[in-house]
Amino acid sequence: MWPRKQTRDTQVLSGMMMKQRRFEALVDAFQADLYRYAYWLCHDKTVAEDIVQETYLRAWKALDSLQDEHAAKSWLITILRRENARRFERKQFDLVDIDDFAVASEDGSPDTAIEQREIQRHISALALEYREPLILQLIFGLSGDEIATQLQLNKNTVMTRLFRARNQLKDALQPYSQQGGQQHG
């Protein structure tokens, strides 16, 4: 009877260690993408961090339900989107708006930083129905089919929304690019 208990304990510990490694692999693989997406959704660094943490908490609890490792990214994005929606169900206090977090440019030039903020501002100004598929494509590199699955929409609807989002963004940025062209010669 004693060896049987040791075997069972060993199996339980082994299973827990496998789950821990599996979870750590998910965190390592998708942490940056999830944070970027959360930030795009809420435009607040600390809220984005909280949403990602809640996403990982829910993912840990439901990790055994993830059958296909190739679907892990979509699975985590779905959890994150639902977690973001839950924050609106909770009581919200009035907050003072602050400037959007600026992403540092690779070349460090002020012009590039200004352009990035301008693009981010215009993407943020898009209606959610256009902004969300565009962000899923730009940040996560999801295909039209994957976005359709993620947002539970028809692929044609997704492609139309992506087309309209790009056109709205192009129209919004057109005056900025013309102004930049005049300034730089």
Side-chain angles (χ1 to χ4, degrees), residues 123 125-138 147 151 153 157-169:
I123 290 173
L126 293 173
L128 182 62
E129 67 182 301
Y130 299 124
R131 183 176 62 229
E132 197 166 27
L134 184 64
I135 290 170
L136 288 172
Q137 185 181 54
L138 294 176
I147 295 170
L151 299 179
L153 295 170
T157 302
V158 168
M159 299 312 285
T160 299
R161 288 181 182 183
L162 285 170
F163 176 78
R164 289 178 181 169
R166 281 191 215 99
N167 281 342
Q168 288 178 18
L169 191 57

Side-chain angles (χ1 to χ4, degrees), residues 45-106:
K45 234 168 88 165
T46 56
V47 173
E49 291 168 356
D50 289 344
I51 292 170
V52 171
Q53 288 300 316
E54 289 296 322
T55 298
Y56 282 130
L57 178 63
R58 289 186 186 276
W60 171 259
K61 291 177 182 177
L63 189 59
D64 294 332
S65 69
L66 178 62
Q67 302 298 317
D68 182 8
E69 296 295 327
H70 298 290
K73 191 175 191 177
S74 294
W75 181 69
L76 287 169
I77 291 170
T78 300
I79 294 171
L80 190 137
R81 287 181 69 238
R82 289 180 182 155
E83 201 52 46
N84 182 56
R86 279 186 193 92
R87 77 184 174 101
F88 294 107
E89 296 170 1
R90 301 177 192 131
K91 183 175 181 175
Q92 292 281 313
F93 295 100
D94 291 333
L95 301 174
V96 176
D97 288 338
I98 59 173
D99 292 336
D100 286 339
F101 172 72
V103 178
S105 65
E106 289 181 21

Side-chain angles (χ1 to χ4, degrees), residues 12-54:
V12 169
L13 288 174
S14 176
M16 289 173 56
M17 288 173 57
M18 283 179 36
K19 182 177 179 180
Q20 179 70 27
R21 281 194 297 265
R22 195 171 162 207
F23 181 74
E24 287 173 0
L26 285 176
V27 171
D28 289 343
F30 303 116
Q31 183 173 2
D33 288 339
L34 289 176
Y35 175 77
R36 275 195 306 271
Y37 185 52
Y39 183 79
W40 272 101
L41 290 173
C42 67
H43 305 288
D44 185 310
K45 234 168 88 165
T46 56
V47 173
E49 291 168 356
D50 289 344
I51 292 170
V52 171
Q53 288 300 316
E54 289 296 322

